[in-house]
């Protein structure tokens, strides 16, 4: 079976677009071929800065012949109806088949579609793919009408088998498909004729092109880490930068350069951010001191002087960039070490709007400081330190360094706070109060940082709820879902127990009335519970288990709520736990039906002296034992013990239902048994609302 090779060769494709472009090429081409009846055995896509390549193996040489049967009108239908059917089918009247059916004689048409050669189908599909390619941004050039991310130079499209290679006849906007490509722009720019994928890959490798982006990334990382190790240093890991740099070069050549002595005193994060954002350099640090001392750059070619000229140029440009960073750093240090300290920056935030309905950044800081003081005793923090930390946490927004590198906000605040003579707790809170920004980020763990981080997120929730700017559908412009998840993770992962209702109420008071009114605390709590379901679902806890726990009193304490949900989840994974739920639901259904029919509530009065069977007596005993364990366990918030005691009821309840008829003829016995079922409901419901569970 033949193979297909496609290459779209152009000017440099932005690195950020390459991965998606490769996926789109594979999807559009393969979907188009399959829809036309042309299947294949394997597919692989490759990208470099100048080419998108797709290789398909074991493709059909032609689409199969197809026979389609269409049901038409009745044989005695009006002539015009039959003529219309014939036009649609492309047949004549004598080509139709007449069949007897329960509805009479019906006309049927068999439409045969002959197979088409692969080259014809590939040409159609590839032209459509090129003309409708979903680039995020595209351009036209010259006098043509084709839009591409950068000028498209050539199309390689060949079908190959044991007999040789065939060029697919295709022309797009004056560019005719062929069987040639080009190697490295500088090291091997001449045309290369290829006969198949293996030949293509081999000849490109000789022409200084590493086709596979993963191979380029591996080469870069291997060579960079080896160079750093030889110098007693280590490369700072950055998967995003590695992927981007691998998309900037076709033939990676790793070089390590030095950072000027004047800049080694800058914070490591400043050096790393400046080199990454402006130069796409990897940072190389001293593992003993943590200081960034060198950099790694990746050239796109070899040179006679082994990269010396390239490094000299890069070091010169880097020096200019770092001179700016050092200027910002020195100016900021002069500000924070002056008499006013960071207050100058806080004062400047009075002129910076946080939100037109929620005031300035300075007003936000005031609210955070007030709420942080309220939260401090709940999380074990010093109230004065928490308030001070909240007042300086966002001060660095006025600094020159953060103006240049916004991604360093918070982090630079921690440096400046220490330089201003503040405690480590305050400085760490400035760095950590934005965290966590993503699901994989660490949460703050120091008490002062916890207080400020919670205050920042809770103020955001109550503030935007007060002005009716809640998330809708997929839209969440103020990252309120992230804020809610941050509150959940900070509380749960630090084992902090507090009343969410109380804290949200305090925050709503501080935010005050806004244009849309005051924040709806119950609505915010429901929003946070919804995010909690997502958080726990990712940990394998079912949504109905969470609902069963949310329905209980005290569900505004997220830490206890999560402990209860985890304990119930583990219990339900056991045979006793799963079967107990069925027994509980049976008891609850019988009891509910009897209460509705009798118009009374069977909630007390079960007495073992009216028990007629051993199964009844055993259930009385089991319930007494379970209650004796569950009541103190719940009071101590020992959910695991309570759930285990509840699960032990499985056997006695099953035995009861097997041996006993609840609706006995004797009214006293019946009432006693219904009250016994009420005890099952009461004792089990003390642990969780089991009626919320599925199944």
């Amino acid at each position: 079976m033949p193979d297909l090779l496609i290459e779209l060769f152009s000017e440099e494709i932005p690195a950020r677009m390459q991965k998606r472009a490769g996926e789109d090429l594979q999807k559009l081409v393969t979907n188009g071929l399959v829809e036309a009846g042309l299947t294949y055995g394997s597919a692989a896509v490759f990208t470099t800065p100048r080419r998108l390549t797709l290789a398909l193996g074991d493709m059909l040489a032609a689409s199969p012949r197809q026979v389609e049967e269409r049901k038409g009108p009745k044989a005695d239908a009006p002539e015009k109806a039959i003529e219309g059917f014939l036009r649609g089918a492309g047949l004549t009247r004598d080509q139709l088949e007449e069949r007897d059916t329960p509805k009479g004689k019906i006309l049927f048409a068999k439409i045969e579609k002959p197979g088409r050669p692969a080259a014809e189908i590939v040409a159609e599909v590839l032209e459509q793919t090129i003309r409708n390619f979903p680039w995020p941004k595209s351009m036209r050039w010259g006098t043509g009408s084709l839009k591409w991310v950068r000028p498209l130079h050539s199309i390689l499209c060949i079908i190959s088998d044991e007999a040789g290679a065939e060029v697919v006849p295709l022309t797009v906007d004056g560019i005719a498909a062929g069987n040639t490509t080009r190697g490295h722009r500088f090291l091997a720019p001449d045309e290369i004729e290829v006969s198949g994928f293996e030949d293509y890959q081999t000849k490109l490798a000789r022409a200084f092109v590493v086709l596979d982006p993963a191979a380029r990334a591996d080469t870069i990382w291997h060579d960079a880490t080896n160079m750093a190790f030889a110098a007693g240093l280590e490369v700072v890991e950055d998967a995003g930068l590695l992927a981007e740099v691998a998309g900037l070069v076709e033939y990676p050549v790793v070089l390590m350069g030095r950072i000027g002595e004047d800049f080694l005193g800058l914070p490591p994060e400043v050096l790393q951010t400046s080199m990454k954002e402006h130069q796409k350099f990897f940072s190389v640090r001293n593992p003993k001191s943590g200081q960034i001392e060198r950099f790694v750059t990746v050239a796109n070619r070899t040179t006679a002087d082994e990269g010396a000229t390239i490094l000299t140029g890069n070091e010169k440009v880097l020096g200019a960039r770092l001179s700016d960073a050092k200027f910002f750093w020195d100016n900021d240090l002069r500000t924070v070490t002056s008499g006013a300290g960071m207050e100058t920056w806080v004062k400047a935030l009075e002129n910076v709007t946080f939100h037109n309905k929620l005031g300035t950044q300075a007003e936000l800081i005031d609210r955070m400081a007030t709420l942080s003081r309220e939260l401090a005793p709940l999380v074990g923090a010093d109230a004065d330190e928490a308030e001070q930390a909240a007042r300086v946490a966002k001060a660095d927004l006025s600094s020159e360094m953060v103006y240049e590198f916004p991604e360093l906000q918070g982090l630079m605040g921690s440096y400046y706070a220490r330089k201003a003579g503040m405690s480590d707790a305050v400085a760490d809170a400035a760095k950590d109060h934005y965290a966590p920004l993503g699901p994989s980020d660490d949460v703050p763990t120091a008490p002062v940082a916890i207080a400020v981080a919670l205050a920042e997120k809770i103020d955001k929730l109550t503030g935007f709820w007060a002005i009716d700017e809640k998330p809708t559908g997929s839209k969440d412009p103020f990252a309120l879902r992230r804020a809610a998840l941050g509150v959940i993770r900070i509380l749960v992962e630090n084992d902090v127990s507090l009343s969410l209702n109380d804290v949200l109420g305090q925050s709503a008071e501080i935010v005050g009335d806004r244009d849309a009114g005051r924040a709806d605390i119950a609505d915010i709590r429901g929003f946070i519970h919804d995010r909690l379901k997502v958080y726990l679902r990712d940990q394998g806890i079912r949504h109905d288990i969470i609902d069963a726990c949310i329905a209980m009193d005290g569900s505004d304490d997220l830490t206890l709520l999560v402990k209860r949900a985890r304990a119930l989840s583990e219990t339900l994974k056991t045979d006793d736990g799963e079967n107990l739920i069925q027994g509980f639901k049976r008891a609850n259904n019988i009891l509910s039906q009897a209460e509705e029919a009798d118009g009374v509530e069977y909630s007390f009065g079960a007495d073992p002296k009216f028990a007629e069977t051993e199964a009844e007596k055993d259930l009385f005993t089991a319930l007494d034992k379970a209650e004796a364990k569950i009541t103190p366990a719940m009071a101590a918030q020992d959910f695991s013990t309570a759930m285990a005691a509840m699960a032990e009821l499985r056997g006695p309840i099953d035995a009861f239902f097997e041996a006993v008829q609840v609706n006995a003829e004797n009214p006293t016995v019946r009432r006693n048994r219904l009250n016994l079922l009420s005890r099952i409901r009461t004792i089990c419901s003390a642990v969780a609302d089991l009626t919320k569970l599925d199944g």
Side-chain angles (χ1 to χ4, degrees):
M1 298 176 76
D3 299 328
L4 172 66
L5 175 62
I6 296 171
E7 181 201 72
L8 305 177
F9 184 82
S10 68
E11 294 293 332
E12 274 70 9
I13 304 167
R16 68 182 184 279
M17 297 183 186
Q18 291 172 21
K19 184 175 186 295
R20 177 64 182 272
E23 293 169 352
D24 286 338
L25 176 63
Q26 179 174 339
K27 178 181 177 181
L28 292 170
V29 171
T30 56
N31 285 356
L33 296 180
V34 171
E35 286 175 10
L38 209 61
T39 59
Y40 58 93
S42 62
V45 67
F46 305 92
T47 61
T48 80
R50 296 207 296 163
R51 68 198 82 221
L52 302 179
T53 300
L54 174 65
L56 300 184
D58 296 330
M59 184 179 69
L60 291 178
S63 61
R65 169 180 167 272
Q66 295 179 333
V67 178
E68 177 188 352
E69 184 174 273
R70 290 187 192 175
K71 181 181 178 182
K74 290 185 176 181
D76 58 355
E79 197 64 31
K80 287 187 177 181
I82 296 177
E83 288 177 0
F85 178 65
L86 291 172
R87 282 196 300 271
L91 300 175
T92 60
R93 179 68 175 82
D94 60 342
Q95 291 176 301
L96 299 183
E97 181 182 346
E98 194 174 297
R99 297 182 194 169
D100 289 323
T101 72
K103 294 184 179 181
K105 293 184 181 295
I106 303 293
L107 297 175
F108 286 84
K110 283 189 177 181
I111 305 171
E112 294 189 12
K113 295 182 179 179
R116 300 167 61 202
E120 182 180 325
I121 297 173
V122 169
E124 289 180 3
V125 170
L126 185 54
E127 180 174 2
Q128 286 297 313
T129 297
I130 294 172
R131 292 193 181 279
N132 301 291
F133 204 83
W135 291 108
K137 292 183 179 180
S138 56
M139 61 183 293
R140 286 186 306 190
W141 61 97
T143 58
S145 60
L146 178 66
K147 287 187 176 182
W148 202 248
V149 64
R150 294 289 186 271
L152 183 64
H153 290 314
S154 67
I155 301 170
L156 184 155
C157 187
I158 57 174
I159 297 175
S160 57
D161 55 20
E162 296 82 356
E166 168 195 3
V167 175
V168 173
L170 166 69
T171 301
V172 180
D173 214 45
I175 304 172
N179 63 348
T180 61
T181 183
R182 292 181 182 273
H184 192 280
R185 180 184 289 276
F186 306 112
L187 302 177
D190 296 334
E191 278 194 353
I192 302 169
E193 184 175 315
V194 299
S195 59
F197 177 70
E198 290 186 5
D199 184 46
Y200 169 79
Q201 190 173 31
T202 301
K203 288 179 177 177
L204 280 183
R206 292 176 189 160
F208 304 96
V209 174
V210 180
L211 186 62
D212 188 351
R216 297 197 298 273
D218 288 344
T219 297
I220 292 168
W221 187 248
H222 176 269
D223 292 354
T225 52
N226 280 354
M227 280 186 182
F229 180 77
L233 305 171
E234 63 183 13
V235 183
V236 177
E237 289 191 38
D238 191 326
L241 179 60
L242 180 59
E244 183 177 7
V245 173
L248 295 174
V249 296
E250 289 196 319
Y251 188 72
V253 177
V254 176
L255 306 168
M256 187 164 70
R258 295 181 178 275
I259 298 172
E261 292 287 338
D262 293 346
F263 309 120
L264 294 180
L266 289 170
E269 297 86 356
V270 172
L271 290 170
Q272 185 177 347
T273 302
S274 180
M275 291 193 294
K276 173 182 176 178
E277 294 300 319
H278 295 310
Q279 306 301 125
K280 308 304 177 189
F281 291 170
F282 293 91
S283 297
V284 181
R285 69 183 165 211
N286 187 323
K288 296 178 181 178
S289 65
Q291 181 62 47
I292 305 295
E293 296 182 357
R294 297 192 188 183
F295 68 88
V296 163
T297 184
V298 181
N300 192 32
R301 59 173 299 170
T302 57
T303 59
D305 61 1
E306 298 184 341
T309 302
I310 294 174
L311 273 181
T312 299
N314 282 335
E315 288 172 351
K316 184 177 180 180
V317 174
L318 179 61
R321 289 291 188 186
L322 295 183
S323 292
D324 291 341
K326 188 173 187 302
F327 175 78
F328 300 142
W329 171 250
D330 291 341
N331 278 357
D332 287 344
L333 287 186
R334 278 192 288 271
T335 299
V336 299
T337 55
S338 65
M342 298 177 77
E343 284 300 317
T344 302
W345 288 343
V346 176
K347 184 74 174 173
L349 292 176
E350 293 178 359
N351 300 315
V352 179
T353 300
F354 169 62
H355 188 281
N356 63 342
K357 293 182 180 180
L358 292 172
T360 64
Q361 288 281 359
E363 290 176 283
L364 167 63
I365 289 170
D366 286 339
R367 296 196 301 270
M368 284 177 53
T370 303
L371 186 57
S372 294
R373 175 170 280 277
E374 297 291 337
L375 286 168
L378 302 177
V379 300
D382 179 81
D384 291 336
E385 272 195 318
E387 181 177 354
Q388 182 187 32
R391 291 200 175 279
V392 301
K394 294 187 180 294
D396 65 352
L397 295 176
S398 298
S399 70
E400 293 186 37
M401 186 68 78
V402 171
Y403 183 82
E404 176 69 12
F405 300 113
E407 59 270 42
L408 293 179
Q409 59 188 279
L411 177 65
M412 296 312 302
S414 69
Y415 280 105
Y416 297 141
R418 285 187 173 87
K419 294 293 184 180
M422 298 178 189
S423 69
D424 288 344
V426 171
D428 289 341
K431 178 184 65 176
D432 294 336
H433 83 281
Y434 291 108
L437 292 175
S440 60
D441 287 356
D442 292 334
V443 300
T445 55
V448 173
I450 291 173
V452 179
L454 283 174
E456 194 257 356
K457 292 163 182 60
I458 290 171
D459 176 86
K460 180 181 288 188
L461 291 168
T462 54
F464 283 104
W465 245 257
I467 61 173
D468 198 26
E469 289 284 3
K470 298 178 286 187
T472 56
S474 61
K475 295 181 180 179
D476 186 12
F478 304 109
L480 300 182
R481 292 188 179 95
R482 186 172 70 190
L485 182 58
V487 171
I488 292 166
R489 289 190 58 205
I490 291 170
L491 293 175
V492 172
E493 293 179 27
N494 285 294
D495 198 23
V496 173
S497 185
L498 54 77
S499 169
L500 196 60
N501 287 343
D502 291 346
V503 172
L504 290 172
Q506 290 172 329
S507 179
E509 283 290 330
I510 295 167
V511 170
D513 294 327
R514 295 288 164 173
D515 288 357
R518 185 165 293 218
D520 184 337
I521 302 306
D523 196 38
I524 300 175
R525 186 183 66 244
F527 176 74
I528 293 175
H529 280 161
D530 285 342
R531 303 316 300 166
L532 179 65
K533 291 179 184 180
V534 176
Y535 172 70
L536 292 179
R537 185 182 62 202
D538 292 341
Q539 299 177 21
I541 299 179
R542 302 186 333 231
H543 70 90
D544 59 320
I545 291 175
I546 306 166
D547 286 335
C549 297
I550 288 175
M552 303 299 290
D553 290 338
S555 64
D556 68 323
D557 187 330
L558 299 182
T559 299
L560 292 183
L561 174 57
V562 169
K563 289 179 179 178
R564 189 192 297 259
R566 286 173 175 163
L568 180 56
S569 179
E570 289 303 312
T571 299
L572 293 183
K573 291 177 182 177
T574 66
D575 288 340
D576 282 348
E578 184 62 35
N579 289 317
L580 170 67
I581 301 306
Q582 304 307 316
F584 166 83
K585 289 192 172 184
R586 184 176 179 183
N588 185 60
N589 289 338
I590 294 172
L591 182 60
S592 298
Q593 291 168 7
E595 288 178 334
E596 183 178 355
D598 299 345
V600 297
E601 179 181 329
Y602 295 101
S603 57
F604 60 93
D607 193 328
K609 72 181 181 182
F610 296 112
E612 294 185 338
T613 67
E614 288 300 318
E616 270 181 282
K617 295 174 184 177
D618 290 345
L619 182 55
F620 270 106
T621 302
L623 288 171
D624 288 340
K625 289 181 179 179
E627 191 170 21
K629 292 179 181 178
I630 290 173
T631 300
M634 292 301 295
Q637 298 171 354
D638 183 358
F639 299 113
S640 296
T641 298
M643 301 286 179
M646 182 184 70
E648 290 174 1
L649 291 172
R650 176 262 177 109
I653 290 176
D654 286 351
F656 173 81
F657 282 120
E658 287 177 8
V660 174
Q661 180 181 346
V662 175
N663 290 309
E665 293 183 7
N666 185 322
T668 301
V669 173
R670 176 179 179 272
R671 183 169 55 253
N672 194 61
R673 288 174 178 173
L674 289 171
N675 282 322
L676 185 59
L677 297 188
S678 179
R679 281 200 69 193
I680 295 175
R681 181 168 66 183
T682 300
I683 290 173
C684 291
S685 296
V687 176
D689 187 350
L690 303 185
T691 63
K692 301 286 186 182
L693 296 177
D694 294 339

